[in-house]
Amino acid sequence: MGSSAAKWGYSLLYLTLILSILFSFHTQIAHKLLLGHHKLRLKRSPHLPLRFRHDGTFKILQVADMHFGTGLVTRCRDVLSSEFHYCTDLNTTRFLRRMIQSEKPDFVAFTGDNIFGTSTPDAAESMIRAFAPVMDAGIPWAAVLGNHDQESSMTRQELMSFLSLMDYSVSQTNPSVVDAGGLMMTAGIDGFGNYDLRVYGAPGSELANTSALNLYFLDSGDREIVQGIRTYGWIRESQLHWLRGVSKQNQGQTELLSHLSQGSTPALAFFHIPIPEIRQLYNHKVVGQFQEAVACSLVNSGVLQTFVSMGDVKAVFMGHDHNNDFCGNLEGIWLCYGGGFGYHGYGRAGWPRRARVILAELGKGEKSWLGVQRIETWKRLDDEDLTVIDEQSRNGTGEMAATDDEEIDSLLSSFDHIYQDFKSGIQEIQSLRSNLNAEVKNRESLHITCSSLKQENERLRMLYTDSLNNLAHELERRTICHSLKEELKRARDEHHTTVDEHRKAMELLRHEYAIKIADMESQISKTKHVEQRQDLTSNRLVETLKVKIMKLRKENEILKRKFSQ
């Protein structure tokens, strides 16, 4: 009875376990295996529209060339050997978080090569990790594509569509227009990621419902083949045509408030691949470092002339060439590099990664904020202090704007830079001197090494000569062995041929002997038969003779008797 109750108890416990497993599977796992039953999650949208702050400023953080891979396992490039073992994509993430915390930007612009497509098997996962800091901060942001983003698992169109759906993103795949029937449709222009954003005036000002600053984003493409030559992409005429229309529309909307906006609303342009005119700045005064050849397209599609004719573009911000971080002025327009930001992209060891900050300031009237009066920019280095370098500014009309105090500050800043350059020069001279001493020692050690290498080379040459001689002898022996093998084979074949001939001759002789033996046996048989016949005849004759002799004896006896009588 006790054994039966124990079995029932075990069965009940087993049944309870099975039911709990099935319930857990149904509630925790099963719904994840069904298509269309995922829990929906809405995109987190930023507070729109983009707007200047109460203090009349709007700050943009430009992030160029993050080149994000997969995170912790993606190694850094072109860093000091002391940094390499602990440097990954997470250094890029940390730099972006520090920049956001330090500058507290109102908007972040990513100017291409956001991910390094060849270093990640999943483009979507890489982008989520790359843009995580700005999404976590809840800051509105936008991005364009570079020439490496599409080298993973998504096309350029898919990438821009995905970017537009990410949290706090205001990116667009392409602008939408209203057709004759009142329906929204995508404008038929080249590329993916052509759109414009408006930054409205400060709250409570007369420009609160009017764009005080326009931001133009353009897709500069990736790679192209022009007349059989591989080159970089460029901004196409369809994009420039669309941009001219947008600029004209924006300027028309601000004509009614021209007394406040102080002329046309200024605009800033963002794209990845630089335009060919950037090369002209090599012989111009620039702010920053021009230390890398401009990698642009062979095709000049007239982007700069379009900006000049539009009249509203005051500055252009690009990426692509990581070791360039300068700003230069061509025909009244700033052309600025962001400088390499990401640690998985190429750079220079000892030359810190950097980011550019752009600050637009509204002019202050007697009763309200006016239009954009000043645009400033500077860069921060990813060092311990996030050092600020290369500060510069211009007014809304494009002229350099600076007060006496600011000029003094600028001169002091320049003096500080010169002093710092002097100190760094002294340090570099000392470093070069120590490098020279090290180089002399290296040369001496190299001389010793060369002597030993020469001796070793001579020894190896002799060994090589001996080896060649041995090889020649071995080849000669092999040739002789080969000829002997051939001769042996020939002799063996001849022997086999001779043996076959002997065998055939023996068989022929055996056959002839057999025939002869058969003939002799036949003759012997005939001879025996004849002899037998002769013996028989002889026996008969002998018997006849015996009979005759007997008769003669009898006759003789009879004659003797007669004579005796």
Side-chain angles (χ1 to χ4, degrees), residues 536-552:
L536 182 60
T537 305
S538 297
N539 290 334
R540 287 178 182 175
L541 289 174
V542 168
E543 289 294 331
T544 305
L545 288 174
K546 283 182 179 183
V547 172
K548 286 181 177 182
I549 290 171
M550 288 299 292
K551 284 181 179 182
L552 288 173

Side-chain angles (χ1 to χ4, degrees), residues 110-161:
F110 296 91
T111 52
D113 280 358
N114 310 296
I115 63 173
F116 199 10
T118 56
S119 294
T120 174
D122 188 340
E125 181 67 24
S126 181
M127 286 197 296
I128 290 172
R129 292 182 179 182
F131 297 115
V134 69
M135 291 190 292
D136 292 343
I139 299 172
W141 59 278
V144 291
L145 300 178
N147 55 294
H148 288 297
D149 294 283
Q150 79 288 343
E151 294 174 339
S152 180
S153 57
M154 299 172 74
T155 64
R156 295 180 73 84
Q157 183 176 8
E158 291 169 341
L159 286 167
M160 281 309 305
S161 179

Side-chain angles (χ1 to χ4, degrees), residues 548-559:
K548 286 181 177 182
I549 290 171
M550 288 299 292
K551 284 181 179 182
L552 288 173
R553 281 179 181 178
K554 286 179 180 183
E555 290 178 356
N556 188 30
E557 285 295 329
I558 293 172
L559 288 174

Side-chain angles (χ1 to χ4, degrees), residues 524-539:
I524 290 170
S525 176
K526 289 180 180 179
T527 303
K528 284 183 178 181
H529 183 66
V530 171
E531 288 178 349
Q532 288 177 356
R533 289 178 61 186
Q534 290 177 352
D535 289 343
L536 182 60
T537 305
S538 297
N539 290 334

Side-chain angles (χ1 to χ4, degrees), residues 494-510:
E494 291 177 356
H495 174 70
H496 288 324
T497 303
T498 304
V499 169
D500 290 340
E501 291 177 354
H502 289 169
R503 186 172 59 253
K504 290 179 181 178
M506 289 295 292
E507 289 178 354
L508 182 61
L509 289 173
R510 190 180 294 111

Side-chain angles (χ1 to χ4, degrees), residues 222-504:
D222 52 284
R223 284 282 193 175
E224 298 289 344
I225 302 294
V226 177
Q227 298 179 352
I229 302 174
R230 192 164 184 255
T231 185
Y232 287 106
W234 64 91
I235 298 171
R236 309 298 178 107
E237 175 56 34
S238 62
Q239 298 167 270
L240 297 177
H241 177 75
W242 162 79
L243 189 60
R244 284 190 289 265
V246 171
S247 174
K248 186 175 180 180
Q249 182 183 8
N250 290 338
Q251 293 179 45
Q253 290 177 353
T254 58
E255 285 181 357
L256 296 177
L257 296 172
S258 59
H259 65 288
L260 295 175
S261 60
Q262 298 177 338
S264 62
T265 302
L268 307 177
F270 298 87
F271 50 85
H272 181 67
I273 298 175
I275 57 178
E277 288 85 351
I278 297 290
R279 292 169 174 165
Q280 300 175 20
L281 291 172
Y282 187 78
N283 297 317
H284 288 65
K285 181 179 179 180
V286 296
V287 179
Q289 299 296 317
F290 195 150
Q291 54 188 6
E292 178 181 358
V294 177
C296 60
S297 175
L298 295 174
V299 177
N300 190 335
S301 58
V303 176
L304 180 60
Q305 294 307 314
T306 298
F307 289 161
V308 172
S309 65
M310 286 163 49
D312 59 344
V313 176
K314 306 303 178 185
V316 176
F317 299 95
M318 305 157 293
H320 191 56
D321 300 329
H322 305 183
N323 294 328
N324 291 337
D325 70 344
F326 62 84
C327 272
N329 190 319
L330 283 179
E331 301 192 41
I333 297 176
W334 274 359
L335 300 172
C336 300
Y337 278 102
F341 187 96
Y343 279 84
H344 188 48
Y346 76 87
R348 283 191 173 186
W351 199 66
R353 265 54 174 187
R354 57 204 59 214
R356 181 173 291 280
V357 181
I358 306 135
L359 180 67
E361 298 179 1
L362 298 177
K364 194 168 185 179
E366 295 180 1
K367 296 181 179 180
S368 178
W369 291 108
L370 304 176
V372 174
Q373 184 181 49
R374 184 194 303 271
I375 298 174
E376 299 179 12
T377 183
W378 60 88
K379 297 185 293 290
R380 280 189 181 269
L381 307 181
D382 188 20
D383 54 19
E384 184 177 355
D385 301 319
L386 287 177
T387 304
V388 176
I389 62 170
D390 298 337
E391 297 178 80
Q392 58 189 118
S393 66
R394 60 174 289 168
N395 60 25
T397 62
E399 300 297 330
M400 297 301 296
T403 63
D404 293 338
D405 291 339
E406 289 173 342
E407 289 179 356
I408 293 172
D409 291 339
S410 177
L411 289 173
L412 289 174
S413 176
S414 299
F415 177 77
D416 289 338
H417 285 308
I418 292 171
Y419 178 67
Q420 292 297 329
D421 290 341
F422 176 74
K423 285 178 62 178
S424 62
I426 294 297
Q427 293 175 355
E428 188 173 355
I429 289 172
Q430 293 175 349
S431 175
L432 288 173
R433 183 176 297 167
S434 61
N435 290 337
L436 178 61
N437 294 331
E439 185 66 24
V440 170
K441 292 181 179 179
N442 287 335
R443 284 193 176 187
E444 292 175 354
S445 61
L446 284 173
H447 181 70
I448 296 171
T449 304
C450 287
S451 299
S452 60
L453 286 174
K454 285 180 180 179
Q455 295 175 358
E456 183 67 16
N457 184 43
E458 183 65 23
R459 187 181 67 83
L460 290 175
R461 189 184 64 79
M462 295 178 64
L463 287 175
Y464 179 70
T465 303
D466 293 340
S467 299
L468 284 178
N469 292 333
N470 292 334
L471 180 61
H473 294 155
E474 183 66 23
L475 288 174
E476 186 178 358
R477 284 195 295 269
R478 288 192 178 186
T479 304
I480 295 172
C481 289
H482 182 72
S483 61
L484 289 174
K485 284 183 179 179
E486 292 292 333
E487 188 174 351
L488 179 62
K489 182 180 179 182
R490 195 181 307 109
R492 189 182 294 113
D493 293 339
E494 291 177 356
H495 174 70
H496 288 324
T497 303
T498 304
V499 169
D500 290 340
E501 291 177 354
H502 289 169
R503 186 172 59 253
K504 290 179 181 178

